[in-house]
Every structure is written in structure tokens, then in C-alpha cells.
Amino acid sequence: MQVIRSIKEMQQMAKELHREGNRIGYVPTMGFLHEGHLTLINEAKKNNDKVVISIFVNPLQFGPNEDFDAYPRDIERDETLANNAGVDFIFYPEVGEMYPVDLSTKINVTKRVNVLCGKSREGHFDGVATVLMKLFNIIMPDRAYFGLKDAQQVAVVDGLINDYNIPVELVAVGTVREEDGLAKSSRNVYLTEQERSVAPELYRSLQKAVQRILDGEKNLDQVKTEVINAVHEKTSGIIDYVEIYSYPDLVELNEPNGKMIIALAVKFSKARLIDNITFSI
Amino acid sequence: MQVIRSIKEMQQMAKELHREGNRIGYVPTMGFLHEGHLTLINEAKKNNDKVVISIFVNPLQFGPNEDFDAYPRDIERDETLANNAGVDFIFYPEVGEMYPVDLSTKINVTKRVNVLCGKSREGHFDGVATVLMKLFNIIMPDRAYFGLKDAQQVAVVDGLINDYNIPVELVAVGTVREEDGLAKSSRNVYLTEQERSVAPELYRSLQKAVQRILDGEKNLDQVKTEVINAVHEKTSGIIDYVEIYSYPDLVELNEPNGKMIIALAVKFSKARLIDNITFSI
């Protein structure tokens, strides 16, 4: 495994890999790797000749109230984990390498953002789109891997790739879950024992909602209310949102139609959990 | 020479060309090819294995008062000219191929635009940046050729390429001139005989201004005034602007410093002419 810190070197390596006929699988990360990242890396290993991950805590996607400096970093641990997972290259640039001068342009994500978690994170996805546009040009992947746990991010990246004909295949990887169905998250450790025991109810209530729609329920407000009631009855969590949208457009629906997402965010005493299911009728 | 109308086909061809070890030189055009384009094509021929031009009248870069529909088009003539010039591929997509659905993002050019001709063409360079981001991803050139006649466009493209680490080398090609120094332009035919005879004074006054600065003149307002006076004395043209900026940043200067541009726009009875010189002290 090789760690590359310079953009130019990474681009030259990417070109060389392509010239040699390699397919490049790419997993963008902000480091502090967890099981979710490793799942993406494993998927990338399956279908590509070389796997590149980037480790870059991108200042542009942090809001004024989100602490860029406090974001956890541990490059040595990350290198060990990546190496063990079979990663071929880590692209690990400094902030000054990625943003040496003020940008002369801005990418503004205008659709798919003012819903779900994006509603309360103004500008977040502009920062995500900007850094990904750069990283795609630097790493030149054939396929890029994103987790469906953050389905809104997948939708925004899908829009970005389509808008600019970026020659990369977006691979959306299903959420990894504990045995009882709870979506894996580094935040789960902040749950109390009692909260943890009932937390799988989030996923169960989403599954039930999907089944209700597949069974023919047309009233989406009714379905959402049922999810809200189930979560409130069976957990101490406070609902932040329960929403059903078209996917990946993330547009409100009058009734079930085509590909959809049902997503929720629930606040517990010390952790805010999110989960979602994408499905089609 | 091959004409390609589909994005997917163009991308596959570009990948294949790269796999075979070809360097791709690229000239973006809106068609209705003239000598300026042919100069860019000739430059591209010199240093690349394959030359691709695009012909696409991009609706996004036309303002509400600029007539997209009336823009001249003649694909048969263009094909003949391109073929004779040794072009290998014309990428010639329909509008619906390039913009099949509303974009979910916007590129906003925030620097280098509110000066020179950009001042009166709000949003123009946003459209240019958007279509070029797409075209670079579709044609995957090693080098892209732009004429310095539109030095502001070159500056904006330079910013775009740097901002997003686009793996393409920008080649800025010097303005092609008539024997008497007048910058070649399809608009020159709209000059009256009298206007045409004195029009070379535009370039001459710019040359004199550059020489004044190289000779040590520090007062840029003074230099600009001299250009204005010379043009007014020797032609019937009305000055739209005479400006001196840093280049390619296009920032106002207190005194001469580093790489600069002196540029002017002058209105004649039926034609508005532009010209510029980039130079360094």
C-alpha cells in the first residue's frame, strides 16, 4: 500500500494505472475508518483491479457550528486498517494542497438538498460536491463507492455525476446492520443500554411502512404517522423527521410512485440516529 | 474524420484513444468555423496524436437579450473545413443530449468575471464553465486550446481547471492578426471602408501602451488615458472600455506588477471590436 500526498503524483499514478489497463475502485473518506468504510472497500475490491481511498477532512463541508478542528483523526490507525483491508493507495492530501488559493468558482447544489438532514446543514452539500469534483479529477476512478446509510449524499453525488457527465460509475452500497437490524454507526455507542435495546425499532418501523406501501396503501401521510407513532410508543427517542420522497430526486410525492425512499432521524439522549430504506413499487 | 453525436460513444472513444496511448488535443467551438478556430486546430495538430473539436451552441451561455436561435450554424461547411484541417473527431451533440433534464447543481464563476466584457454579460461565464466541465469529462483531452482574443474566457477556464484539478493542460493561443495588425474577427466585415482603414490603430495603441509600461511608466490611469485619446483621435470608434489588470486573476492594479493584460472594446457604427495584449514586467 502506498500513501500519496500530492495531487500531481496521484494524477500521474491514476493515469499510469489506466494505461496498464487497471480499473480503479474509489472510496472517499474523511478518515477515522469504521466498519462502514471497510464494507465499501470490500465492495471496491470485488470489482476493480486497484482500490484507492482518500482521507481528507474537507473544511468546505463543515458549517459554522460544526467543528472542523474537533473532527477525529488517526492516520496511523487508518493506514493499518486500510492496509489490512487490501487498499492499494491512500490519497491523503493536506488542506493547503487541496485549496491552495481561493476558488474562482462555486458549485451550488440546488436540488435534492433542502430535505432530510440537508435541511439543517446549509451549504454542506456544496462543500461535498466541490471536493468530490476535485477528487474525481485527481483519482480518476472507474467506480466510486458510497454508503446508502447517507442516501441523500448518494442522491447528490448521483446528480453531480449526471450533471457533468463525470466518467465514473456510482456504486451505492446497502447499509450495514447489527444482527438485530440497527444500522451500524459510530454514534451507537452513545446510546444508553435502554435506548440501545429498543433502537432496532427504527428500522422495524421503516420495514413495516415499506410493506404497507407495497401492500397498496396510497396515503403516505398515514404511513408516516404510523412510523412516528411506533417510534414514540416503543422508544424514548424524539422524532426529528420521517419523510417519504421519490429517489434519487428527493421530491415530495402525492402517492407512491416508482423508486422511493423512506427516511427518519430520531434524537436520543446523546445520539441522533438516522436510517432509511430505498424501494420501488 | 468521424462525427460523434452521443456522449456515451464519445467517452468510450476517448477512453479507447487513451488506452492506445494517444494524446488528445481538443478545440471547443460553437461551430461556424473561422480562421481563429483553424489556427487552434493547427496548434492542436502539432502536439497531439488525435484532434477532437466539439460543435455545440450552448444555450446556457446566452443571455436573455442574446439570440441563441439566431446564432449562425452550418454543420456541412464545418465538417468540410474540419476535415480539411485534419480534425479526427467532431463531437456534435444535440441540446437534449447535453441537457436532458434540469441540472441539480450550478457552477457560479465568482472571480475574473465582473470586468471587461463579462461586466455586461451576467451569467455568461457560468454557462461557459458548466458546458466546459461537461465537455472535458466527455472528451477527456490532454490539452485544450483557446484563443487569447477572448483573454477573459482563457482566464475563467484557467480558474475552472485549477479549482477542480481538471487533468487537462490549457493552451492559450495568440490572437491571429491581419497584416496591418487588426485582430481577425468575423465582425470586421461590418466595418465601413473608412473604419477598416483606421481599425489597426486599436492594436497599435495597445502596443504603445505596453511599451510605455515596459519603459517604466507607473501611472496606469495615465497609460489608459493615452490609449483612449489615441483611439478617439485616430478613429471614429467610441471607447467601451480600456482596462489594465493582473492576468489571469483580472484584479485591478495600483501599479504595473507581474503578468498583466491591457484590453479594450471599441464600438464602430455596426461592429464592436475587442483586442488585448498580455505581457509581463
Side-chain angles (χ1 to χ4, degrees), chain A residues 141-161:
Chain A
D142 295 280
R143 297 189 186 86
Y145 294 77
F146 291 84
L148 271 170
K149 175 94 192 298
D150 189 344
Q152 186 171 18
Q153 176 171 270
V154 172
V156 167
V157 175
D158 171 77
L160 185 76
I161 288 174

Side-chain angles (χ1 to χ4, degrees), chain A residues 7 11 102-111 130 133-134 137-138 140 159 163-167, chain B residues 7 11 15 102-111 130 133-134 137-138 140 159 163-167:
Chain A
I7 289 171
Q11 284 180 319
D102 282 354
L103 300 177
S104 67
T105 61
K106 280 204 168 93
I107 297 182
N108 184 223
V109 186
T110 54
K111 293 186 202 291
T130 302
M133 187 73 97
K134 292 171 73 73
N137 280 322
I138 294 166
M140 307 179 193
D163 281 0
Y164 302 106
N165 310 100
I166 301 172
Chain B
I7 290 171
Q11 285 180 318
K15 283 190 182 178
D102 281 354
L103 300 177
S104 66
T105 61
K106 282 203 167 93
I107 297 182
N108 184 224
V109 185
T110 55
K111 293 187 203 292
T130 302
M133 187 73 97
K134 291 172 73 74
N137 280 322
I138 293 166
M140 306 178 196
D163 280 2
Y164 302 106
N165 310 99
I166 300 172

Side-chain angles (χ1 to χ4, degrees), chain B residues 1 27-29 31-46 51 53 55 77-87 90 145 147 173-174 176 184:
Chain B
M1 190 184 69
V27 181
T29 86
F32 217 72
L33 302 182
H34 54 63
E35 210 171 331
H37 298 117
L38 298 177
T39 305
L40 299 178
I41 291 168
N42 282 337
E43 286 300 312
K45 291 282 300 174
K46 281 186 204 163
V51 171
I53 73 168
I55 294 181
R77 182 177 156 280
D78 287 346
E79 281 187 33
T80 305
L81 287 170
N83 193 31
N84 292 343
V87 166
I90 299 181
Y145 294 77
V173 178
V176 184
K184 289 209 182 190

